[in-house]
Amino acid sequence: MAVQFEVAYSATVQGAGIIAGGPYFCAQGSAYTATTRCSCTSSLFACRVHPGGTNIADLIVLTDWFAAEGAIDPPERLASHKVWMLSGSVDSIVPQPVMTDLYNYYRHYMAASQIVYRRMLPAEHALPTDLYGNPCAHLGSPYINNCTYDAAGQLLQWIYGPLLPRNSGPPAGRVLAFVQGEFLPFPTLHGMATVGYLYLPKSCEDSAGAGCRLHVAFHGCLQDTDSIGSTFIEHAGYNAWADSNRLMILYPQASAIASNPEACWDWFAYDDARYALKSGHQMAAVKRMVDKLTGVQPASTLSPSRCRPDRCI
């Protein structure tokens, strides 16, 4: 979802930190492709992940076509982004060939100097931290592993530049709950929870947000609050850096529905045929959250639906 949001809104976003993710539009609207080529999560079909298996050339053509139709921002805007990527060397859910395809996808649009790609950490499918979680090679809830490696800090420092040391004491800010229905009517019908969260450092609260930056932290599958409570929000590692660097951290929340029982974000069309575009339900909802927090006036119109024989946007 972080890749999807970054590419679709490349004129707004300045970079992304990707842990165990695939290229933009990797699934191409197919759950079968999502679970056999973009990940190894199908219980019915054999994993088909292999180098080049996500068909990067096709995904680049589709990205450029979506942009030409105005359905996403021009991908040329990616050239100025800073991207940080991590693929655990023992990740069995999103194996490294998928992330290497993502790297090659990014390289079509940006210089190698804009990308950091870490792939030697012996981590399973999880967010690595240096303070909390399961053993590094463990696969299981809450999918946060103590690998003596601060992934959140590393990606934040790459995207935003040199930062002050993280807060080593109790959290200085507050976690605020908000109603996600303000940004998407009937969110639970679209795989989003009723409530989302914002970590607000005291320095940002005191200044009403003036001079603060905003980072969106998308949780992974089975990391929503219904599945693991506040564990991701409290232990992913972002808040301590936010305290000392005037960063607000937005934690939007997906939720389980019949077509998405593991509360993943919509990156394979379980809710919406336009899921990867700016007009997608979840995409537009998170963008409205970002706009409200940053004071940007939202666009008044959405791109019309356009079709060709085998695909619609």
Side-chain angles (χ1 to χ4, degrees):
M1 187 66 169
V3 173
Q4 192 168 284
F5 194 84
E6 178 200 15
V7 173
Y9 293 108
S10 60
T12 297
V13 178
Q14 71 178 68
I18 313 300
I19 299 170
Y24 175 78
F25 206 54
C26 183
Q28 297 189 50
S30 164
Y32 172 75
T33 300
T35 57
T36 61
R37 289 187 180 273
C38 306
S39 67
C40 296
T41 53
S42 175
S43 59
L44 300 176
F45 304 100
C47 183
R48 303 174 68 190
V49 167
H50 62 275
T54 62
N55 299 316
I56 292 299
D58 287 352
L59 300 180
I60 289 170
V61 168
L62 287 164
T63 301
D64 293 345
W65 181 60
F66 292 161
E69 296 293 326
I72 65 174
D73 289 342
E76 292 80 11
R77 301 298 291 265
L78 291 168
S80 63
H81 287 203
K82 302 290 286 295
V83 172
W84 189 92
M85 301 169 50
L86 185 144
S87 176
S89 62
V90 295
D91 191 326
S92 61
I93 302 299
V94 180
Q96 283 197 351
V98 177
M99 285 212 75
T100 299
D101 280 4
L102 172 60
Y103 174 82
N104 292 328
Y105 173 89
Y106 276 130
R107 282 289 290 113
H108 180 77
Y109 296 109
M110 64 179 67
S113 60
Q114 300 294 108
I115 308 169
V116 168
Y117 182 16
R118 304 295 187 210
R119 46 189 162 178
M120 300 302 292
L121 190 71
E124 243 293 3
H125 187 70
L127 170 63
T129 78
D130 61 349
L131 294 172
Y132 180 87
N134 297 316
C136 196
H138 177 81
L139 177 63
S141 184
Y143 300 97
I144 299 174
N145 287 1
N146 189 340
C147 298
T148 64
Y149 187 83
D150 180 15
Q154 292 294 318
L155 70 86
L156 290 173
Q157 291 176 87
W158 177 249
I159 296 170
Y160 299 105
L163 299 178
L164 296 173
R166 65 186 175 184
N167 175 16
S168 59
R174 293 196 295 155
V175 175
L176 305 179
F178 64 91
V179 177
Q180 294 194 141
E182 177 182 345
F183 307 97
L184 177 65
F186 309 107
T188 56
L189 298 180
H190 301 290
M192 290 186 69
T194 303
V195 177
Y197 300 90
L198 175 73
Y199 185 77
L200 185 65
K202 187 176 187 305
S203 58
C204 294
E205 185 167 13
D206 290 346
S207 66
C212 290
R213 293 175 287 193
L214 175 66
H215 186 81
V216 181
F218 290 105
H219 64 74
C221 302
L222 293 173
Q223 288 186 318
D224 62 305
T225 52
D226 286 339
S227 298
I228 62 170
S230 60
T231 299
F232 183 83
I233 296 167
E234 294 177 356
H235 297 293
Y238 298 103
N239 299 346
W241 289 95
D243 275 340
S244 52
N245 290 282
R246 297 177 63 78
L247 277 169
M248 297 183 293
I249 311 295
L250 175 64
Y251 294 99
Q253 294 292 304
S255 66
I257 56 176
S259 56
N260 174 44
E262 296 189 347
C264 305
W265 288 98
D266 191 3
W267 61 276
F268 50 92
Y270 68 74
D271 169 64
D272 186 359
R274 303 185 187 188
Y275 70 96
L277 309 180
K278 293 196 293 185
S279 56
H281 292 143
Q282 293 184 359
M283 295 279 279
V286 176
K287 180 59 162 58
R288 292 182 192 115
M289 298 175 193
V290 170
D291 288 346
K292 181 164 186 176
L293 286 165
T294 57
V296 174
Q297 291 296 318
S300 59
T301 60
L302 297 175
S303 299
S305 176
R306 303 176 188 272
C307 295
R308 66 183 191 185
D310 60 336
R311 291 188 179 89
C312 288
I313 63 170

